[in-house]
């Protein structure tokens, strides 16, 4: 059960987000450090050093870091990626605390480790204007698609319907 009985509210961040996210201007380690200490009521956020990074994004990223890096031992490099800038982010708040988040990634512009011409391809800089051709077990190979990802809820809030609320919003 939720430890905090404050009403749950859902907020949306619409792309494009700051180009500073996942760039040499703002290294992943610095972004993670900002996110770990982010609170929505903190006067220090957005940081005067990085005023173009949305406070709500940092709060969502804090949830993702706790769930994926701290609990599941995923690397920060795999957690924070180029899709963050171009995705829609929903954030569930209990009072002023971010307790859950998810992102919706629009139609892929480049592939992430999918086959291209029969070889493994890590994406590089090539932009895609058409979806990749060829079936997979999750995709018919013909239609453009979006994907829901980075769904995370803080451990003490799991089982209270927050993920369902994020998806239904």
């Amino acid at each position: 059960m939720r430890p905090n009985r404050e009403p749950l509210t859902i907020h949306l961040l619409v792309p494009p987000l700051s180009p500073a996210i996942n760039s040499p201007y703002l290294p992943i380690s610095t972004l993670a450090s900002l996110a770990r200490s982010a609170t929505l009521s903190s006067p220090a956020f957005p940081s005067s050093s990085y005023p173009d990074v949305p406070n709500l994004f940092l709060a969502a990223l804090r949830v993702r870091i706790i769930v994926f890096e701290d609990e599941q031992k995923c690397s920060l490099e795999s957690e924070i990626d180029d899709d963050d800038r171009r995705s829609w982010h929903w954030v569930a708040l209990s009072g002023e605390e971010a307790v859950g988040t998810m992102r919706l990634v629009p139609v892929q512009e480049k592939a992430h480790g999918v086959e291209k011409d029969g070889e493994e391809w890590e994406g590089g800089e090539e932009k895609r204007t058409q979806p990749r051709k060829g079936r997979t077990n999750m995709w018919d190979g013909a239609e453009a698609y979006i994907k829901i990802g980075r769904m995370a809820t803080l451990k003490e809030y799991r089982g209270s319907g927050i993920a369902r609320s994020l998806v239904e919003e």
Side-chain angles (χ1 to χ4, degrees):
M1 281 307 196
R2 288 186 4 208
N4 186 341
R5 295 290 178 197
E6 294 192 44
L8 188 70
T9 58
I10 308 292
H11 300 266
L12 171 64
L13 281 168
V14 178
L17 296 183
S18 168
I21 296 169
N22 201 19
S23 73
Y25 164 70
L26 183 58
I28 289 174
S29 59
T30 303
L31 186 61
S33 178
L34 288 170
R36 283 188 183 279
S37 57
T39 61
L40 294 178
S41 60
S42 170
F45 291 96
S47 165
S48 58
S49 302
Y50 304 100
D52 51 344
V53 177
N55 190 17
L56 197 57
F57 176 74
L58 291 174
L61 190 56
R62 179 181 169 274
V63 173
R64 287 170 40 187
I65 289 170
I66 290 169
V67 171
F68 298 122
E69 185 190 30
D70 297 350
E71 290 179 20
Q72 297 179 11
K73 307 302 181 207
C74 298
S75 71
L76 271 177
E77 290 74 20
S78 65
E79 175 51 32
I80 302 169
D81 61 24
D82 289 340
D83 285 337
D84 278 321
R85 282 184 281 212
R86 64 188 199 92
S87 296
W88 284 262
H89 297 264
W90 280 263
V91 185
L93 301 178
S94 178
E96 292 189 349
E97 180 185 12
V99 297
T101 187
M102 73 170 214
R103 76 177 186 190
L104 184 125
V105 181
V107 174
Q108 294 287 41
E109 293 177 5
K110 63 181 180 178
H112 293 287
V114 298
E115 286 184 14
K116 179 185 180 204
D117 302 327
E119 298 177 16
E120 187 72 13
W121 183 57
E122 292 300 325
E125 293 302 314
E126 181 178 332
K127 297 289 183 184
R128 292 182 175 269
T129 56
Q130 299 292 320
R132 181 175 75 92
K133 298 295 181 194
R135 290 178 172 262
T136 69
N137 62 345
M138 300 292 290
W139 179 49
D140 69 6
E143 293 192 43
Y145 64 93
I146 58 173
K147 68 179 178 180
I148 293 174
R150 304 304 198 262
M151 174 76 73
T153 303
L154 295 180
K155 188 180 235 175
E156 58 271 22
Y157 289 83
R158 292 181 195 148
S160 62
I162 290 173
R164 177 183 299 272
S165 296
L166 287 165
V167 172
E168 289 176 349
E169 185 67 27

